[in-house]
Amino acid sequence: MKYSERVTAMQASPIRKLVPYALEAKSRGIKVYHLNIGQPDIKTPKGFFDAVKNFDSTVLEYAVSNGIPELISALQDYYATYDMHYEKDELLITNGGSEALLFTMMATCDPGDNLLVPEPFYTNYNGFGQCVNVSVNPITTKAEDGFHLPSKEKICSKINSKTKGILLSNPGNPTGAVYTKDEINMIAEIAIENNLWIIADEVYREFVYDGLDYTSFGNVKEVEDRVVIIDSVSKRYSACGARIGSIASKNKELIAEILKLCQGRLCVATLEQLGSVELYKTPASYFKEVNEEYKHRRDVLYNELMKVDGVVCEKPTGAFYIVAKLPVDNAEDFVIWMLREFNKDGETVMVCPAEGFYATEGLGRDEVRLAYILNESDLHKAATILKEGLEKYVELNKNIQKSTVEA
C-alpha cells in the first residue's frame, strides 16, 4: 500500500526516537536519568485533581467547541494580571499547545508557504508544518550568543513571497533564551513592514530567571491585530497530561476562522477543562517557589557542564532547558553510547541530540538539549554522570583517532 507523501516526509520525534535505547538499558538493570524530555517532577496543584474527583453528572456531554465558559473566564483573569485584556470571542481552548500551533498554521498559511522560525526551535514546529505542507524558514542563532536574534537585516533577508509569519517561543525551547524588549520590538517592526503574522509560543512565560524583565507580544499594541499567542497549562502548572492549550488573539476574524477547525474536532475533553479552571486559580506564590527551584536546578546542571573542556554554553535565562555544544563530532552517537556502553554504579543519563531542533542541514550535530526537570539530588547525580561520561567518550575518541593516525 502507498502512504501519503505528507506522512512519509514527516520526521520522527528527535526527542523520543532514542527511547528504545533507554528501554534496553533499563532491561539490563541500568537506572536511566531522563534529561531528554520536558516532563517536570514538580507537583501538579491539587485543585486540578479535586475538580475532576468532584465532577457530578449523570452524562458526560460534549463541551462547546471554543472551550467551556468557566475556563475562558479563568484565562481572561490570568491574562489580565499581565495587562493583556481579551474578550471571550478572542480566546479558544485547544487540545494542548500542539493543537493550538497546528490550527494557527492552518489558518494563517497555505500549502507551500513558510514561517520564519529562529533555530534551534521546538522540533514539533517542523513536524506540524510538514503535516500541512508549511515549511520552516530558519533564522540561525548561536550558542556563543546565548541564542539571541541576529540583526534585523539578516532576518529580513530570509523573507520571500511565501513567508506568512514569524513563529517563535519566548522563553525559548530548547534554548532557554529570553528575548529582550528590543528584540520583541524588532520582530514587531519586521511584521508590520512585511505584513506578517506573529505566532508567539509563550508557554514558559513564568520561567524567567536572574531578575530579567519579560515582554509578551500581547503587550505590544502596534501589532495586536497580527499577534497570535499560543499557551498551555502543561509546563506552567506541571500538568502535561491534561492536554489543555489555548489560542489568544485580538484579531476576532482570525479566531472565528480557527473556530471552524475547533468545531470540526468537536471539543476538548470536559473533565480536563474543569480541572484547568482550578489551575488558573493557583496563587502567585506557587510560581515564586517553582521559579526558585528551576533556577537552582539550572545552576546545578550548568556548573557541571562548564567543568568539561570544550563545552560551549551560555547560561540560559528562561524555561528549563540548556542547549550545549559538546566536544564531539556527533551528539546522537554520544547519547547512544551513554545508554549502551557507559554507566556509573549502574546508572546513566539520557539527553536529547539537538540536530532535530534545526532546519538547516548539518547544524546541531555536536549539540544536545538537556531538561533540568529532576529534583536536586537526582539532577546532581545525573550531571555528575554526564560529565564523567562525556570526558571518557572524548578520551576514547582521541585514542581511536591517535591509533588511526599511527596505523
Side-chain angles (χ1 to χ4, degrees):
M1 300 295 291
K2 184 179 179 181
Y3 306 106
S4 71
E5 292 181 10
R6 181 185 298 109
V7 73
T8 55
M10 187 175 176
Q11 67 178 21
S13 170
I15 300 172
R16 296 175 180 266
K17 75 174 185 177
L18 300 184
V19 168
Y21 293 98
L23 294 176
E24 193 276 332
K26 291 175 184 179
S27 73
R28 291 185 281 111
I30 303 297
K31 179 175 181 177
V32 179
Y33 291 101
H34 286 276
L35 303 182
N36 62 302
I37 192 166
Q39 172 56 66
D41 67 353
I42 301 293
K43 287 185 178 180
T44 307
K46 187 171 179 289
F48 178 92
F49 301 108
D50 288 343
V52 174
K53 289 176 183 176
N54 294 332
F55 178 73
D56 184 17
S57 177
T58 57
V59 178
L60 186 58
E61 300 176 344
Y62 285 122
V64 290
S65 296
N66 60 316
I68 63 173
E70 301 95 320
L71 186 51
I72 295 291
S73 179
L75 262 180
Q76 288 179 293
D77 293 342
Y78 165 77
Y79 281 124
T81 66
Y82 286 90
D83 196 26
M84 293 186 275
H85 303 281
Y86 291 101
E87 298 178 21
K88 293 179 180 179
D89 58 354
E90 295 170 342
L91 296 165
L92 295 170
I93 305 303
T94 60
N95 287 292
S98 298
E99 186 179 75
L101 284 164
L102 184 61
F103 281 4
T104 300
M105 286 183 178
M106 294 171 69
T108 58
C109 300
D110 288 315
D113 287 340
N114 66 77
L115 293 168
L116 290 177
V117 184
E119 64 177 0
F121 49 77
Y122 176 48
T123 182
N124 280 336
Y125 292 167
N126 200 27
F128 297 149
Q130 289 169 336
C131 282
V132 292
N133 300 106
V134 173
S135 61
V136 164
N137 188 351
I139 304 165
T140 303
T141 65
K142 299 178 180 178
E144 295 84 350
D145 301 326
F147 297 105
H148 281 277
L149 296 174
S151 67
K152 180 178 179 180
E153 291 71 26
K154 286 187 177 179
I155 295 174
C156 288
S157 70
K158 302 288 292 185
I159 298 172
N160 58 47
S161 62
K162 292 291 187 177
T163 304
K164 291 298 178 66
I166 304 169
L167 166 61
L168 69 173
S169 59
N170 183 37
N173 174 10
T175 65
V178 177
Y179 295 130
T180 65
K181 189 171 185 178
D182 286 343
E183 288 176 295
I184 298 297
N185 288 334
M186 176 181 66
I187 293 297
E189 289 176 5
I190 292 171
I192 292 171
E193 292 167 6
N194 296 276
N195 194 29
L196 302 176
W197 295 99
I198 298 173
I199 305 172
D201 181 349
E202 299 186 355
V203 302
Y204 296 96
R205 186 182 296 110
E206 273 71 30
F207 306 122
V208 177
Y209 316 120
D210 305 328
L212 289 182
D213 291 329
Y214 176 76
T215 301
S216 169
F217 279 101
N219 294 123
V220 185
K221 183 74 174 176
E222 294 79 6
V223 290
E224 66 177 17
D225 64 325
R226 64 184 69 242
V227 167
V228 188
I229 292 184
I230 307 298
D231 231 324
S232 168
V233 305
S234 291
K235 308 305 167 64
R236 178 169 298 128
Y237 301 108
S238 193
C240 298
R243 309 313 304 137
I244 296 294
S246 62
I247 298 171
S249 179
K250 300 298 291 183
N251 190 317
K252 294 178 185 288
E253 292 183 10
L254 174 67
I255 292 294
E257 294 298 326
I258 298 177
L259 179 57
K260 297 176 187 176
L261 298 169
C262 294
Q263 291 168 340
R265 58 88 164 109
L266 302 183
C267 69
V268 175
T270 301
L271 293 182
E272 280 75 3
Q273 290 192 72
L274 289 170
S276 295
V277 171
E278 298 306 310
L279 291 179
Y280 277 107
K281 296 178 183 177
T282 302
S285 58
Y286 172 85
F287 295 120
K288 186 177 187 300
E289 294 172 9
V290 172
N291 193 291
E292 284 299 318
E293 175 66 18
Y294 278 129
K295 179 179 178 293
H296 183 66
R297 294 179 180 189
R298 174 202 64 176
D299 293 344
V300 168
L301 184 57
Y302 176 79
N303 291 340
E304 286 300 315
L305 281 172
M306 290 298 96
K307 293 177 183 178
V308 182
D309 288 340
V311 170
V312 177
C313 175
E314 290 292 318
K315 184 181 286 189
T317 53
F320 39 70
Y321 304 104
I322 293 176
V323 171
K325 188 185 293 288
L326 306 182
V328 302
D329 292 330
N330 189 309
E332 183 171 311
D333 289 347
F334 166 67
V335 174
I336 294 172
W337 178 85
M338 284 288 293
L339 294 169
R340 298 181 73 175
E341 307 293 338
F342 182 82
N343 73 83
K344 180 182 179 182
D345 300 325
E347 298 181 332
T348 192
V349 175
M350 183 177 186
V351 299
C352 185
E355 187 174 7
F357 294 84
Y358 287 84
T360 302
E361 188 173 353
L363 292 185
R365 284 178 61 82
D366 57 354
E367 296 177 359
V368 293
R369 186 195 76 166
L370 307 99
Y372 43 94
I373 42 72
L374 302 179
N375 64 70
E376 181 181 352
S377 176
D378 285 350
L379 185 60
H380 195 275
K381 286 182 183 179
T384 302
I385 293 167
L386 178 63
K387 171 183 173 291
E388 294 185 15
L390 180 56
E391 288 173 338
K392 183 171 182 180
Y393 185 80
V394 171
E395 181 183 355
L396 286 172
N397 279 355
K398 284 182 179 178
N399 290 336
I400 290 172
Q401 291 172 1
K402 182 179 178 182
S403 299
T404 302
V405 171
E406 291 176 350

